Amino acid sequence: EDQVTQSPEALRLQEGESSSLNCSYTVSGLRGLFWYRQDPGKGPEFLFTLYSAGEEKEKERLKATLTKKESFLHITAPKPEDSATYLCAVQAPQGGSEKLVFGKGTKLTVNP
Amino acid sequence: DGGITQSPKYLFRKEGQNVTLSCEQNLNHDAMYWYRQDPGQGLRLIYYSQIVNDFQKGDIAEGYSVSREKKESFPLTVTSAQKNPTAFYLCASRGPYSNQPQHFGDGTRLSIL
């Protein structure tokens, strides 16, 4: 069974304190790994897609990386507006390519 | 602006009542999805549709029904058979290639009166 595990469940940082969120997965034949940001009461907002090990994507203070077993979302010098829940999802051929398997998310709080 | 619109934002259901959640998109996407989000759990797939007049069950389809009569619309009905309907419901759509990201609406929160 395909699984996605995100850690930590919650993370508190001071403004400017860099850190990383982890998404580990067990799937056969990864077709894509997706990172989303979700604010309270809102739908997930797409951030990045990673397709193969070694790939990296960047957007402002966020950088996503991918290995064969996990992905990291690095947050450099975070600001309070980066506070949100970050979701990771993977797509694999098993069960049909339409299916995404989501992790439970990491709730990030950045204090001023 | 192109996007996905879900309505209403909040919905209340009485015992024995069916309720329908609306999802409309103007992104010209063929594929559309319904997810359920509960506290402390990942998003779970209820139903999805890859084309008009066709849809498939996801992991937790029991107690739910959908229709796809138009490309732009994918309404979800929560029937009285769904015994634990209180949750945050999210609709998504995706572009033409299966490994493209899904884009989400802002959800409907359903509660039981």
Side-chain angles (χ1 to χ4, degrees):
Chain A
E1 181 181 334
D2 299 335
Q3 287 193 327
V4 177
T5 303
Q6 291 189 246
S7 62
E9 291 184 12
L11 180 63
R12 285 186 175 273
L13 299 174
Q14 288 299 122
E15 185 172 2
E17 179 187 2
S18 301
S19 188
S20 297
L21 313 182
N22 178 263
C23 172
S24 62
Y25 60 90
T26 54
V27 299
S28 300
L30 179 74
R31 295 198 61 193
L33 184 143
F34 306 89
W35 282 99
Y36 290 87
R37 168 195 170 123
Q38 186 175 24
D39 293 303
K42 299 284 190 179
E45 174 189 349
F46 170 69
L47 293 173
F48 303 109
T49 307
L50 301 166
Y51 293 108
S52 58
E55 190 174 359
E56 299 181 351
K57 295 273 180 73
E58 283 190 68
K59 179 181 178 181
E60 296 181 356
R61 296 176 292 281
L62 300 177
K63 179 180 177 180
T65 62
L66 181 65
T67 71
K68 289 187 178 179
K69 293 184 178 181
E70 58 192 349
S71 177
F72 291 93
L73 185 64
H74 307 276
I75 303 176
T76 302
K79 298 182 177 182
E81 54 261 42
D82 294 321
S83 297
T85 295
Y86 291 85
L87 304 176
C88 170
V90 300
Q91 184 183 43
Q94 184 178 358
S97 63
E98 295 301 314
K99 188 175 176 179
L100 291 184
V101 179
F102 280 84
K104 296 180 180 180
T106 293
K107 183 176 181 180
L108 174 67
T109 303
V110 182
N111 295 315
Chain B
D1 284 10
I4 301 170
T5 301
Q6 291 188 242
S7 62
K9 189 167 179 62
Y10 300 97
L11 188 57
F12 298 91
R13 195 189 91 168
K14 295 180 181 179
E15 293 290 339
Q17 186 180 47
N18 294 353
V19 291
T20 297
L21 285 60
S22 171
C23 177
E24 303 277 332
Q25 54 99 0
N26 59 5
L27 299 168
N28 199 33
H29 287 169
D30 284 311
M32 297 186 74
Y33 308 81
W34 274 106
Y35 290 90
R36 171 180 172 139
Q37 188 174 37
D38 294 282
Q41 294 199 40
L43 274 69
R44 293 182 289 168
L45 183 63
I46 305 173
Y47 268 98
Y48 65 97
S49 169
Q50 299 183 60
I51 199 167
V52 173
N53 293 323
D54 185 53
F55 48 83
Q56 286 78 41
K57 293 182 178 180
D59 297 320
I60 55 166
E62 186 175 351
Y64 299 98
S65 66
V66 294
S67 62
R68 188 81 187 278
E69 297 177 0
K70 299 187 300 182
K71 185 175 184 177
E72 302 79 19
S73 178
F74 190 39
L76 173 74
T77 296
V78 183
T79 75
S80 56
Q82 172 50 242
K83 297 306 178 188
N84 185 23
T86 297
F88 190 47
Y89 291 87
L90 289 160
C91 177
S93 71
R94 194 211 71 215
Y97 302 107
S98 61
N99 61 355
Q100 287 181 297
Q102 295 179 15
H103 296 275
F104 288 83
D106 273 341
T108 292
R109 186 165 300 279
L110 176 61
S111 302
I112 299 300
L113 285 178

